[in-house]
């Protein structure tokens, strides 16, 4: 089955730029979605189809996807951005159609 | 927009079954699939299965086949997840999530904590 690999943690100072990667074989051929999950809360979609933002998500959140790596970029990081981030794709494997990355803990220093 | 409201937390003994509910509301339910995703403490998100609100068709992740059943009450737009023969590893927060087909999950329930005790 398809595997998505994320770094366990990323740390960044306020005001700086955070980049969270999601690796997978030829992931550039797939649509990647990103979710933010804060402690005690449900996941929230922050990017869909690699780079599109749902209504209400600030333009500080952006994305790219090429080759074997998709990237979520958060510009001008704020303390309130601290959370776990997960990438997700759909797979053609009917036994496991939805694949999540292992998650990345974003720490704002 | 679609809203998903889940049932409350439960504690179950090992070997029992547990049923979690997810009530969907909103003007744009047509075409939505409701999936179930869980997260154990310190672990990542884990996909369990889905149900199409229109047809009632279902699908399950291989890991859960034979132990998970997803059903719906069409009259109340409530989707149920039943997990049988629970064990300690099933202790997790269970989320229902909505998507219009194989796209992003743009709406999530608030989560239901299921605790399995021995």
């Amino acid at each position: 089955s398809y595997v998505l690999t994320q770094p366990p943690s990323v740390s960044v100072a306020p005001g700086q730029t955070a980049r969270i990667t999601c690796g997978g074989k030829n992931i550039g051929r797939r649509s990647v979605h990103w979710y933010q999950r804060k402690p005690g809360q449900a996941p929230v979609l922050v990017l869909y189809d690699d780079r599109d933002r749902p209504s209400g998500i600030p333009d500080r959140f952006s994305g790219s996807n090429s080759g074997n790596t998709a990237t979520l970029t958060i510009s001008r990081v704020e303390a309130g951005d601290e959370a776990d981030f997960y990438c997700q794709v759909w797979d053609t494997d009917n036994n496991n159609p939805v694949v999540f990355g292992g998650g990345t803990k974003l720490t704002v220093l | 927009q679609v809203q998903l409201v889940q049932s409350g937390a439960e504690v179950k003994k090992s070997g029992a079954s547990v049923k979690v509910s997810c009530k969907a509301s909103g003007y744009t339910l047509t075409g939505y699939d409701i999936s179930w995703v869980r997260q154990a403490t310190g672990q990542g998100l884990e996909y369990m299965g889905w149900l199409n609100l229109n047809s009632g068709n279902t699908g399950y992740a291989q890991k859960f086949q034979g132990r998970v059943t997803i059903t719906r009450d069409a009259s109340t737009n409530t989707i149920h997840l039943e997990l049988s023969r629970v064990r300690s590893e099933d202790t997790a927060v269970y989320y229902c999530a909505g998507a219009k087909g194989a796209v992003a999950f743009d709406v999530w329930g608030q989560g239901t904590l299921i605790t399995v005790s021995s």
Side-chain angles (χ1 to χ4, degrees), chain B residues 22-104:
Chain B
C22 171
K23 183 173 175 59
S25 63
Y27 293 109
T28 56
L29 285 175
T30 302
Y32 261 88
D33 294 332
I34 301 298
S35 293
W36 288 93
V37 177
R38 76 178 186 180
Q39 185 166 32
T41 301
Q43 303 296 310
L45 298 172
E46 184 174 37
Y47 185 76
M48 301 180 72
W50 59 269
L51 178 144
N52 181 271
L53 286 180
N54 288 351
S55 65
N57 290 341
T58 58
Y60 304 106
Q62 186 171 32
K63 174 179 177 177
F64 298 101
Q65 288 177 9
R67 212 161 63 92
V68 163
T69 305
I70 301 175
T71 57
R72 66 169 177 169
D73 180 342
S75 66
T76 62
N77 274 329
T78 302
I79 302 89
H80 306 280
L81 169 78
E82 184 167 18
L83 181 63
S84 62
R85 306 187 301 280
V86 297
R87 40 195 184 244
S88 58
E89 308 91 270
D90 295 319
T91 294
V93 177
Y94 289 74
Y95 297 99
C96 56
K100 285 196 171 186
V103 294

Side-chain angles (χ1 to χ4, degrees), chain A residues 6 9 13-16 29 33 37 44-45 50 56 60-61 68 73 75 86 95 104 107-109:
Chain A
Q6 297 182 237
S9 63
Q16 299 303 303
R29 299 179 185 175
H33 315 301
R37 199 188 74 81
V44 172
L45 178 67
D50 301 336
R60 298 185 298 105
F61 289 79
N68 295 316
T73 300
S75 304
Y86 297 88
N95 286 323
T104 298
T107 299
V108 181
L109 301 171

Side-chain angles (χ1 to χ4, degrees), chain A residues 1-9 20-25 27 30-37 43 70 84-91 96-105, chain B residues 37-40 42-47 105 108:
Chain A
S1 59
Y2 195 72
V3 176
L4 295 175
T5 302
Q6 297 182 237
S9 63
I20 299 173
T21 58
C22 176
K25 185 176 181 180
I27 195 174
R30 301 172 183 259
S31 289
V32 179
H33 315 301
W34 290 91
Y35 304 90
Q36 177 188 47
R37 199 188 74 81
D84 295 325
F85 290 85
Y86 297 88
C87 57
Q88 178 250 317
V89 300
W90 286 79
D91 193 29
N96 294 291
V98 173
V99 180
F100 287 100
T104 298
K105 168 69 175 176
Chain B
V37 177
R38 76 178 186 180
Q39 185 166 32
Q43 303 296 310
L45 298 172
E46 184 174 37
Y47 185 76
F105 297 110
W108 292 72

